[in-house]
Amino acid sequence: MSTAILTGQPVPGSPLEGDLRSLGFDVRVASDAADTETLLAAVPAGQRVAIVDTRFVGHVHALRLGLTDPRFPASAVPGAVTAQPEARADLTSALRATAGSGNGGGSSAVTVEALADHVAEAIEAEGRDLHRPDLGTLVATVPSDPQTRNEARQAVAAVDDEAVRLRTAVKSRDGFFTTYCISPYSRYIARWCARRGLTPNQVTTASLLVALIAAGCAATGTRGGFVAAGLLLLFSFVLDCTDGQLARYSLQYSTLGAWLDATFDRAKEYAYYAGLALGAAQGGDDVWALALGAMVLQTCRHVVDFSFNEANHDATANTSPTAALSDKLDSVGWTVWLRRMIVLPIGERWALIAVLTAVTTPRITLVVLLIGCGLAACYTTAGRVLRSLTRRATRTDRAAQALADLADTGPLASPFAALNSGGLPAPVLAFAGGAVLACVAGLTSYGSPWVVVAAVIYVVTSGLAVARPLKGALDWLVPPFFRAAEYGTILLLAAKADVNGALPAAFGLVSAVAYHHYDTVYRIRGNAGAPPHWLVRAIGGHEGRTLVVALAAALLTDTDFTVALTALAVAVALVVLVESIRYWVTAHKRGAPAVHDEGEPA
């Protein structure tokens, strides 16, 4: 339960108290500033508390945005200010400072007028973060006389509060397919869910279950199964949009919810690739290499996005003529949608997969997907490289640390970091080591000892690449190069083994490792830092796992190699899943700050 303290003389006919109760507040009334302090001190420390001016006139949704958003420790709208437990001390201090500024230096009845606004100003004056939501057409004001009160009430009546709430439930920046083919009706599903007490996490889980059923339908290998799979995949995406819209509609944000949403998106798509591969096998076609290739490509695309954004998240003097041109293009309607469609965001990508699954074969579906995602990857990566080369920016230590965490360097490469006091740039070293390894793995026969030699070279170059802080213009490319080298090597060696089960085992291993890398990203985005060092050491780091796979291919028969890949996949999955689930559940229980990242529509 949250508590709202009303200050000032009651206004006859005002719906304010009822509005606050509808938002979950226990309403108490203070006669003056001293009484407000007393009531504030009586509210349990673990509760949200708000101070609201009784003269407030505005929409209920304006109060909801200002007083109930869990993402912000303290926030305010005209006539109301609120604090969650972590900002309670700031609110108390600001109230005392405001009350003490009254007549005679002590609390007095005079200071109760506009008390909420004075407290909000005092919080900001102390340098504390105070969120003030953009209300748009919503009304939130404190009239000073009957005439302005009447005008404010007319302004409230002129704007449909519910229509604004529904409209703003939709993500402000999304892909063409999502914007025009999903969101026009999914927002109403979100409202339906909210009115029945469903949570975003429940809808997210339902979306995952539907996608897994879709993958199961695809695995049947029948035309009816493929058609059902395509339809179910689209329905899963509708639910995927609905969970975020429900979170925005009802302001139900949480750290756990953000993690589930992001993690399940990846799980749904990659499980569907596996379903397509299993379905193709029913018809005698082996497309596991294509399915794994699609997962590798999509994962590398994501790490490019993550690395670039983290490298430039808080950079100073962050200007670029290329970025300025991009912003200019985004001001023209048709170029905005064209540019968003070119990158094949999740909506367009899933629609493409669903339609192709229903009307073609798994092989055609995966080949077209690889071509489309490959072109999209070239477009986005080239644009970001160009921006980086033309950008004048100074990257922070935080950005360098985030890139180092994304690199996922293990104990084998670390000793070599001390050997690089200068010389080649980090991206060159990372690319060279990975390219040598991939070429040797691709050009030699299965079991060649030269792959082990190349893997050792990769270990050395990986250590040299992260020897210095990753603050260079293109240093954000280092984590993507490492991901491509590790995943690509596993794919090539499994394909070279040419035995049933090798590629599915490799698919499982890459899935487990990719989960660890995505988990690292989501922790960094949530300002929780990277996974603990012991976890990275326990699973070997990217270079350690690559060397182990290379040694297994050189020392074991193709059948035993498949068993080794399976065992490694299970071991990595168990370690990273147990630690990850423990972390996120614990963070949720201890009340970690709520997270809601609009991000890129990928």
Side-chain angles (χ1 to χ4, degrees):
M1 174 68 72
S2 302
T3 299
I5 302 173
L6 290 178
T7 62
Q9 294 299 318
V11 177
S14 172
L16 179 58
E17 186 170 341
D19 291 343
L20 289 171
R21 293 188 189 281
S22 72
L23 296 177
F25 284 94
D26 177 25
V27 180
R28 303 175 186 179
V29 180
S31 57
D32 55 28
D35 194 18
T36 304
E37 287 190 68
T38 301
L39 290 175
L40 177 60
V43 176
Q47 288 188 9
R48 175 192 285 274
V49 64
I51 299 174
V52 185
D53 195 316
T54 55
R55 299 172 300 166
F56 176 89
V57 174
H59 289 98
V60 176
H61 193 48
L63 285 173
R64 181 182 290 107
L65 292 172
L67 302 183
T68 69
D69 196 324
R71 294 172 294 174
F72 308 103
S75 58
V77 292
V81 61
T82 184
Q84 296 197 70
E86 57 266 36
R88 181 69 168 274
D90 296 332
L91 181 68
T92 302
S93 175
L95 176 59
R96 288 173 179 169
T98 302
S101 64
N103 293 341
S107 299
S108 70
V110 176
T111 60
V112 81
E113 295 298 333
L115 182 63
D117 288 335
H118 291 322
V119 168
E121 292 170 2
I123 292 176
E124 291 178 312
E126 293 176 359
R128 307 298 186 183
D129 290 332
L130 182 71
H131 174 67
R132 292 186 180 272
D134 181 7
L135 299 179
T137 58
L138 295 175
V139 176
T141 185
V142 181
S144 57
D145 56 68
Q147 181 178 347
T148 55
R149 171 172 292 277
N150 184 55
E151 293 172 351
R153 286 176 172 171
Q154 291 177 355
V156 170
V159 176
D160 187 340
D161 179 273
E162 180 61 19
V164 173
R165 189 180 178 190
L166 267 178
R167 185 178 68 251
T168 54
V170 177
K171 186 184 291 187
S172 58
R173 184 183 186 277
D174 223 326
F176 179 88
F177 178 76
T178 304
T179 300
Y180 291 103
C181 299
I182 304 295
S183 293
Y185 56 88
S186 62
R187 69 185 73 181
Y188 295 100
I189 300 177
R191 181 172 67 181
W192 183 89
C193 292
R195 290 178 175 177
R196 282 152 184 82
L198 296 176
T199 67
N201 290 353
Q202 291 171 332
V203 177
T204 300
T205 302
S207 176
L208 173 66
L209 293 176
V210 172
L212 293 179
I213 295 173
C217 291
T220 63
T222 63
R223 178 51 52 194
F226 289 146
V227 172
L231 293 174
L232 287 171
L233 186 65
L234 287 177
F235 181 53
S236 174
F237 183 65
V238 171
L239 293 177
D240 183 56
C241 295
T242 300
D243 65 1
Q245 291 165 359
L246 175 58
R248 285 182 287 271
Y249 181 85
S250 55
L251 299 186
Q252 295 184 71
Y253 304 120
S254 70
T255 297
L256 181 64
W259 171 69
L260 287 177
D261 183 47
T263 302
F264 284 3
D265 279 352
R266 309 287 80 83
K268 288 180 285 189
E269 185 167 0
Y270 300 154
Y272 194 84
Y273 294 168
L276 288 174
L278 290 169
Q282 297 293 328
D285 190 12
D286 186 357
V287 299
W288 274 106
L290 295 175
L292 179 52
M295 181 168 66
V296 170
L297 177 56
Q298 190 58 35
T299 304
C300 290
R301 284 187 64 195
H302 283 144
V303 78
V304 166
D305 294 341
F306 299 147
S307 295
F308 178 80
N309 291 334
E310 286 302 323
N312 296 284
H313 176 68
D314 49 5
T316 58
N318 200 6
T319 59
S320 165
T322 307
L325 175 61
S326 177
D327 293 340
K328 185 176 181 180
L329 290 174
D330 277 345
S331 66
V332 182
W334 67 271
T335 64
V336 174
W337 296 117
L338 178 62
R339 282 153 55 83
R340 292 185 188 179
M341 293 172 68
I342 286 175
V343 301
L344 268 187
I346 188 170
E348 277 75 358
R349 191 168 66 250
W350 282 26
L352 175 68
I353 295 171
V355 172
L356 290 176
T357 299
V359 302
T360 66
T361 65
R363 178 173 289 275
I364 293 175
T365 300
L366 291 170
V367 168
V368 173
L369 179 65
L370 281 166
I371 294 172
C373 288
L375 293 174
C378 291
Y379 170 77
T380 55
T381 305
R384 286 168 177 171
V385 168
L386 187 58
R387 286 190 185 193
S388 299
L389 292 175
T390 59
R391 174 173 282 155
R392 296 179 179 178
T394 302
R395 293 188 171 86
T396 63
D397 292 336
R398 177 198 174 278
Q401 183 59 52
L403 292 179
D405 292 333
L406 290 173
D408 191 35
T409 302
L412 295 183
S414 297
F416 296 100
L419 302 178
N420 186 20
S421 59
L424 295 175
V428 173
L429 288 165
F431 175 79
V436 168
L437 179 58
C439 288
V440 172
L443 297 176
T444 59
S445 59
Y446 175 79
S448 171
W450 288 108
V451 178
V452 178
V453 175
V456 172
I457 294 173
Y458 177 68
V459 169
V460 175
T461 57
S462 297
L464 298 177
V466 296
R468 291 169 295 174
L470 297 176
K471 293 185 177 182
L474 297 177
D475 283 358
W476 57 269
L477 286 169
V478 171
F481 285 154
F482 287 162
R483 296 298 81 77
E486 180 183 2
Y487 301 162
T489 299
I490 296 172
L491 168 59
L492 289 169
L493 292 178
K496 289 285 184 178
D498 196 24
V499 62
N500 287 337
L503 282 167
F507 191 96
L509 176 57
V510 172
S511 298
V513 175
Y515 175 86
H516 163 62
H517 290 142
Y518 280 119
D519 188 54
T520 301
V521 168
Y522 303 141
R523 294 196 197 199
I524 293 173
R525 281 187 167 184
N527 294 318
H533 291 299
W534 71 260
L535 177 65
V536 176
R537 292 194 297 270
I539 59 176
H542 69 93
E543 80 289 353
R545 291 186 298 269
T546 305
L547 180 59
V548 168
V549 173
L551 285 168
L555 299 176
L556 302 175
T557 64
D558 49 10
T559 302
D560 290 340
F561 176 65
T562 300
V563 174
L565 286 181
T566 303
L568 185 58
V570 172
V572 172
L574 284 176
V575 173
V576 300
L577 280 173
V578 169
E579 200 284 328
S580 174
I581 293 172
R582 179 209 61 78
Y583 167 79
W584 289 104
V585 171
T586 301
H588 180 71
K589 288 182 176 179
R590 70 169 182 258
V595 175
H596 182 68
D597 181 15
E598 296 286 356
E600 297 292 325

